[in-house]
Amino acid sequence: MENEKKDRISAYLTPLNREMLFGELSDDFLRMMGGKEILSGIPVPISEGENGQIAVRSIVLDMAKVIGADPDFLYADKYMTYIKAVAGDQAEPMLVSEGAKLADEGRFEESCMLLRTALAIEPKSRAALYLYGRACKACYETASEDEDQSKGEAYIAAFKAESMDIFEVLTMMHPDFAMGYYFLGYAYLNLGLYLKTKLTWDDFLKYSSSADDNGSGLDDNQLEDLRREIQGMLLDLEDPVTIEKGCNQIMQGDFLGGRDTLSKFKEGRYENWWPLWYYLGVAEASLGNLDEAITDLKKVLTLSPSNTDVMDELAQLYEAAGDTVNAAKYRNKINIVHNNIEQEMADQKLS
């Protein structure tokens, strides 16, 4: 699964293994742990188990962490072969169980490492997909709450995207698993994809109607609490969903229908949301109503003053109307914004 696309989070997980000790084990020890044919001459991660003894289980879990952090690790294939050989059918359940324990301890990145290896063994594992999505979510949420923001925006974006992708895969592979839709809906909501959020949460309500435990670990009362939560969220989404439909109408060429859908939101809760006025401006311009389009796009600039795309739209509208003075004014504003950005970047390099 990880090798099919660019690995977003490996760079953030691999450093966790830097303190790990590697060494070649003797043939006698390898024979005892059932790995002589696989691991002879191969350095393996070594950590002590109970009573200071090297334990096979510890070696297996450390191997899984190495693979989970970096699927392209030089000995990843050897490690995976050994894990499957020594754990057999219990390899994936064992890694899922240990990954869950790490998450419970707040060690979310290490949890991700083990769960990624579990998914390399069984890509369709519902438990591994669900827990991995949640671990990634916990990683970016913890980083977002960190006051010194030490992980950075790139880290947060990578784990956020990974979490959403995994929940999408989960709902596709296990379409009757309600909790996949619960978390995926919130991922869509965070991106402002209101229609997708609604459809996803509709599926959550559909598949969570049964009182049977379907692997979420929730009891009936907890599940009912989540259902009430989502029902309330869906009520709040009614207007955003309608607005998104109007924007989609305009993007698809239904300018009159889209304008009529969005016009009812000019006053009230969404009147200061600049994309509303932008799409209204696009619709009016496409319908040949230049004065109305200019008014709407000027409204955008009162809400988003440095929006050079809108300035460019206004310049084009003025040019179409033969008003070269105002067209030049907005072209000049674009240059000023670009020059200010370049100056800020230069100042940051010097500081």
Side-chain angles (χ1 to χ4, degrees), residues 25-40 42-46 54-64 67 75-92 94-95 117 121:
L25 300 174
S26 69
D27 285 348
D28 287 342
F29 191 87
L30 288 174
R31 195 175 292 110
M32 180 273 294
M33 60 183 276
K36 184 177 184 304
E37 300 300 322
I38 303 169
L39 299 175
S40 182
I42 303 295
V44 300
I46 301 173
I54 297 176
V56 172
R57 183 181 179 84
S58 297
I59 291 174
V60 167
L61 293 176
D62 284 344
M63 285 180 173
I67 299 170
Y75 302 112
D77 289 344
K78 292 286 189 181
Y79 288 4
M80 184 65 82
T81 299
Y82 178 70
I83 291 172
K84 291 178 180 179
V86 73
D89 293 341
Q90 293 304 305
E92 178 263 332
M94 175 188 69
L95 295 177
T117 302
I121 295 171

Side-chain angles (χ1 to χ4, degrees), residues 68-124:
D70 181 10
D72 295 324
F73 180 72
L74 181 60
Y75 302 112
D77 289 344
K78 292 286 189 181
Y79 288 4
M80 184 65 82
T81 299
Y82 178 70
I83 291 172
K84 291 178 180 179
V86 73
D89 293 341
Q90 293 304 305
E92 178 263 332
M94 175 188 69
L95 295 177
V96 167
S97 176
E98 292 296 327
K101 289 179 184 178
L102 289 172
D104 288 341
E105 295 169 6
R107 297 159 64 183
F108 302 117
E109 291 170 329
E110 292 176 80
S111 175
C112 286
M113 293 155 71
L114 291 186
L115 293 167
R116 277 157 60 95
T117 302
L119 286 169
I121 295 171
E122 179 43 74
K124 295 182 179 181

Side-chain angles (χ1 to χ4, degrees), residues 141-188:
E141 288 178 340
T142 302
S144 299
E145 294 166 0
D146 188 359
E147 291 184 1
D148 63 10
Q149 296 291 297
S150 59
K151 295 293 178 68
E153 289 300 319
Y155 175 100
I156 293 170
F159 278 90
K160 186 175 290 188
E162 186 75 0
S163 178
M164 185 179 73
D165 278 3
I166 290 301
F167 286 128
E168 286 181 333
V169 172
L170 175 59
T171 57
M172 287 187 289
M173 288 188 173
H174 302 281
D176 59 346
F177 182 55
M179 293 307 297
Y181 299 103
Y182 174 86
F183 286 105
L184 181 57
Y186 273 109
Y188 287 150

Side-chain angles (χ1 to χ4, degrees), residues 157-232:
F159 278 90
K160 186 175 290 188
E162 186 75 0
S163 178
M164 185 179 73
D165 278 3
I166 290 301
F167 286 128
E168 286 181 333
V169 172
L170 175 59
T171 57
M172 287 187 289
M173 288 188 173
H174 302 281
D176 59 346
F177 182 55
M179 293 307 297
Y181 299 103
Y182 174 86
F183 286 105
L184 181 57
Y186 273 109
Y188 287 150
L189 181 65
N190 289 336
L191 292 176
L193 301 173
Y194 303 116
L195 184 55
K196 274 192 169 184
T197 302
K198 178 189 181 307
L199 295 173
T200 301
W201 278 344
D202 283 344
D203 281 334
F204 168 73
L205 294 177
K206 173 183 176 182
Y207 292 111
S208 64
S209 60
S210 170
D212 295 334
D213 178 21
N214 64 357
S216 66
L218 302 176
D219 61 32
D220 292 353
N221 291 332
Q222 291 171 318
L223 193 60
E224 187 56 36
D225 286 343
L226 293 185
R227 287 177 57 80
R228 283 194 291 268
E229 170 193 327
I230 295 305
Q231 287 164 348

Side-chain angles (χ1 to χ4, degrees), residues 283-314:
E284 296 289 12
S286 301
L287 292 169
N289 303 323
L290 296 187
D291 289 342
E292 290 84 350
I294 288 171
T295 299
D296 290 339
L297 293 175
K298 282 185 175 179
K299 176 71 172 179
V300 174
L301 291 182
T302 66
L303 303 170
S304 179
S306 299
N307 196 319
T308 55
D309 290 336
V310 173
M311 294 176 192
D312 184 60
E313 294 270 5
L314 282 166

Side-chain angles (χ1 to χ4, degrees), residues 235-240 243 264-273 276:
L235 287 175
D236 291 339
L237 276 178
E238 288 180 358
D239 283 349
I243 292 172
K264 66 185 73 173
F265 297 101
K266 284 184 175 182
E267 296 180 0
R269 182 178 177 183
Y270 302 97
E271 62 182 300
N272 292 324
W273 188 60
L276 170 70

